[in-house]
Amino acid sequence: MVTKDRSATARRAIRCFLTQTYPNLELVVVEDGTDDALAQHIRDLGDPRIRHHRLPPEGRTLGELRNEAVDRATGPYVCQWDDDDLYDPERVETQMAAILALGAEACFLARERLWWPARRKLAVSCARVWEGSMVCAKDRLPRYPAQRRGEDTPVAEGVVRNCRVVSMDAPELYTYVCHGNNTFNESHFAEHFAVATEIWAEPGAYAERLLAMATRLPIEPGDIAHAESGPAAARTSGRPQAVVEPAAAPASERPLVLVLTPLKDASAFLPGYLDSLRTLDYPREAISLGLLEGDSKDTTPELLQQVLPRLEAEYRRVTLVRRDYGLQLAGPRWEAGIQRRRRSVLAKVRNQLLSRALLDEEWVLWLDVDVTDYPADLVQRLLGARKDIVVPHCATAPGGPTYDLNTFVLQPRAGTLNWSQWLRDGILQPPKGFGRTYLDELRGHGLVRVDSVGGTALLVRADLHRDGLIFPPFPYQHLIETEGLAAMARDMGTACWALPDLEVVHPHHVPEPAHAGATPLP
């Protein structure tokens, strides 16, 4: 990374480096300015992987400085890391995986994300060799020419001409930022936006996309406030954005809703579950019901057959699926050693039920069988949020602590924490509260964006599922099932939201789990 007196953007680029998932990294910072702020920041970080080199301000060209940085790099591969752009946590890991898997010597991204904060515009670029996205074997990298700008273009051309190169179409890995002080002027960016393959410039679409990006990138609260409220918006604190809780959807809006519930050994809860469904003031002719029962050892199958005729008479449509997955747990279901298998099965159950039950409905409401209480206008209030994915607050009692710990907001410094210590069987299982804030701490904040969702009660726009959004039954970014769904939605460009003051009740039926990934399997 080459920089000069741009501490603010350089610090942001360093934050992107600190969140990289690739394990064996160093960051070589070459600076020829006079401002000591960045050097002090790096000293304060105390991370031995970041090596800062100050050069005398002798007017070297950008190409010469890049060569200096490459010469000081100790690894067999080098990655260009511009000081004013943003990088997804999986950028290096993904590009290195492509190089190693295909026996290549270099990797470039075919498209990048373009962000112009001042004009509130986001886009996905056209396809080309994006020089700044280069990862290349050091011994195959040509020298940068002594140019003050455009120095990386001939280098990229030389790499493509002389090396085995893989091109990846993963624009979310690299965000090219126009901030007004770039090497190239604004007309350069305007040309890129003019030929972009996707663009988000309408206020609502831009804000939604930026919020989704902020779940993975160090985007400042002020940028988000600017996106949602316009240029005059004041900067917010680092706390989650507070928005007044939306009003319930009007009675005239009655889109078709599919309620989906997995069932296992549920005979004790099924009567109460059905009674609670009947208390909803949403019209039953607009509600379809899907139930999947499997692996039960009690009388759940028989009870379902008894209630099926009445359900079919009450609701628009009822789908009953039976499928065993062979999941029988010998010990407590919240133990860390069984979470991957347990939640993998639950993800498969949800995906199977979804594929069998979803027809023409506009919304899917996932609802656990052992949720014991919720307001009669639950559906209207969730719809009133006007978000594609939204959850209520699942608490152990009215006004009590959060039950579903799979819904959380990452704390401001979460990206600097050592998450790898809590990896077990490929999924994150941190202790309660490690880097995460739960909904019981966010009461009074109205509608808030969250980084993950639980499935005790979860509303999803059905078209998202139709477009490929599933519950991953395998580790997806070290997350699984509902948490994995939130990560996948984010990668599809959709943010997740929560209503901390809209409560559903799920009492503890077993001792409190020791870690956050312990939503009981119905």
Side-chain angles (χ1 to χ4, degrees), residues 108-112 125-131 153 167 176 192:
F108 291 90
L109 297 182
R111 295 187 297 168
E112 294 182 340
S125 72
C126 67
R128 62 186 290 273
V129 175
W130 286 93
E131 300 91 342
T153 297
S167 175
Y176 190 9
H192 283 313

Side-chain angles (χ1 to χ4, degrees), residues 66 78-82 85 87 91 95 106-112 125 128-136 141 144 149-160 174 176 184 188 192:
R66 289 200 190 280
V78 291
C79 171
Q80 188 163 313
W81 203 263
D82 286 351
D85 292 333
Y87 311 97
R91 179 202 166 180
Q95 291 191 260
C107 176
F108 291 90
L109 297 182
R111 295 187 297 168
E112 294 182 340
S125 72
R128 62 186 290 273
V129 175
W130 286 93
E131 300 91 342
S133 70
M134 180 191 68
V135 179
C136 182
L141 184 69
Y144 287 88
R149 69 176 188 178
E151 78 296 333
D152 49 2
T153 297
V155 171
E157 291 172 349
V159 170
V160 171
Y174 193 118
Y176 190 9
F184 289 95
H188 171 81
H192 283 313

